[in-house]
Amino acid sequence: MTPSVLKLEDVHTCYGPIEAIKGISLDVKECEIVALIGANGAGKSTTLMTISGALTPRQGRIEFLDENIAGLPTHEIVGRGISQVPEGRRIFPRLTVLENLEMGAFLQPDHREREADLAAVFEQFPILKERQSQRGGTLSGGEQQMLAIGRALMARPRLLLLDEPSLGLAPVVVSRIFEIIRKINRQGKTILLVEQNARAALNLAHRGYVMETGRIVMQDEARALLSNPRVREAYLGEG
């Protein structure tokens, strides 16, 4: 049986008195892509921020490689092997492409390993190598998304959290980004994907969870969710 890399058990997260995540449980197994889909405001991004330590859960367990990481600071969680590509990319626009990538390796003390990781990112994203001296803010939206993914990969994650990677991108660029995500997964990376484009996410993922108003309301194999009448009507735009 494939082991779980990540497991959430009865996790609650609040913004002040407002409970945004209401006792969710999910798991992500090694080398899987798991999609978390739902409408705006369902709690998907809050879930990722809770996993990565940007938010502290009020209760519940978040197990990463069988250790509870709930409440740990973000830098410790990154050091343990979780990297997040945030919604909106959030690159450093005034830094060069190379400097942005180097920021992703801030916890890596070995210069030779940093150089090897950089070479791997440039092999994955040749356009970033071509533009390594260019400021990040001058890249196109798709190139900035590649830069955000590359920066996360520089931390050598066991688990990659992707928050709305298709946001604001043209359809042809979305296809390219999703093909890159598939390739990264085939190279052995485990991925938890939050994505508004439910069809694209489920076509990419192995399994999926459907989130509504802070709760997991459905889970299944991705193919099964794609054919589920409720999912098709609510999230795929099919009456």
Side-chain angles (χ1 to χ4, degrees):
M1 185 176 179
T2 306
S4 292
V5 171
L6 177 74
K7 185 179 292 186
L8 275 62
E9 297 179 352
D10 191 31
V11 172
H12 297 248
T13 300
C14 300
Y15 293 102
I18 300 171
E19 190 173 41
I21 298 179
K22 304 170 183 177
I24 68 168
S25 297
L26 60 82
D27 74 289
V28 182
K29 300 188 185 302
E30 191 168 14
C31 295
E32 273 193 317
I33 300 176
V34 172
L36 183 59
I37 66 171
N40 282 333
K44 307 184 302 299
S45 294
T46 300
T47 299
L48 293 195
M49 289 191 290
T50 302
I51 294 166
S52 66
L55 296 171
T56 300
R58 181 163 291 180
Q59 71 179 68
R61 289 181 63 84
I62 302 173
E63 292 187 1
F64 176 64
L65 301 176
D66 297 323
E67 292 189 0
N68 186 18
I69 61 169
L72 291 181
T74 298
H75 70 275
E76 285 193 28
I77 290 173
V78 172
R80 291 183 183 222
I82 298 178
S83 288
Q84 181 171 353
V85 180
E87 180 181 352
R89 300 175 278 278
R90 298 187 191 175
I91 64 160
F92 299 99
R94 295 185 180 181
L95 299 185
T96 66
V97 167
L98 178 59
E99 289 167 339
N100 269 275
L101 293 173
E102 290 174 338
M103 290 295 288
F106 74 100
L107 290 176
Q108 174 56 267
D110 190 306
H111 176 73
R112 288 174 298 179
E113 290 191 357
R114 287 201 306 271
E115 290 299 312
D117 293 340
L118 183 63
V121 168
F122 282 156
E123 183 177 356
Q124 188 84 258
F125 305 104
I127 190 66
L128 298 184
K129 184 175 183 179
E130 291 176 21
R131 303 193 177 181
Q132 60 182 293
S133 299
Q134 191 171 323
R135 286 190 179 186
T138 65
L139 300 179
S140 70
E143 290 163 352
Q144 288 187 19
Q145 187 64 67
M146 294 178 196
L147 178 56
I149 294 172
R151 181 180 61 188
L153 292 175
M154 287 292 291
R156 293 192 170 191
R158 285 285 301 273
L159 174 65
L160 189 61
L161 307 177
L162 296 173
D163 195 354
E164 303 285 5
S166 75
L167 186 68
L169 302 180
V172 64
V173 180
V174 171
S175 297
R176 172 65 178 142
I177 292 296
F178 274 72
E179 188 52 46
I180 288 168
I181 295 169
R182 180 178 283 110
K183 182 178 179 182
I184 291 170
N185 172 250
R186 287 174 177 167
Q187 292 169 347
K189 285 283 184 283
T190 304
I191 297 171
L192 177 58
L193 168 67
V194 159
E195 178 56 54
Q196 185 96 15
N197 187 336
R199 187 185 302 277
L202 293 174
N203 275 318
L204 180 69
H206 300 97
R207 292 187 301 114
Y209 291 84
V210 179
M211 200 167 186
E212 294 179 359
T213 60
R215 294 183 172 89
I216 301 293
V217 297
M218 199 182 309
Q219 60 176 297
D220 211 329
E221 299 295 318
R223 288 183 181 180
L225 289 174
L226 277 168
S227 61
N228 183 287
R230 180 179 170 189
V231 172
R232 293 171 74 90
E233 180 177 359
Y235 302 106
L236 306 183
E238 300 180 11

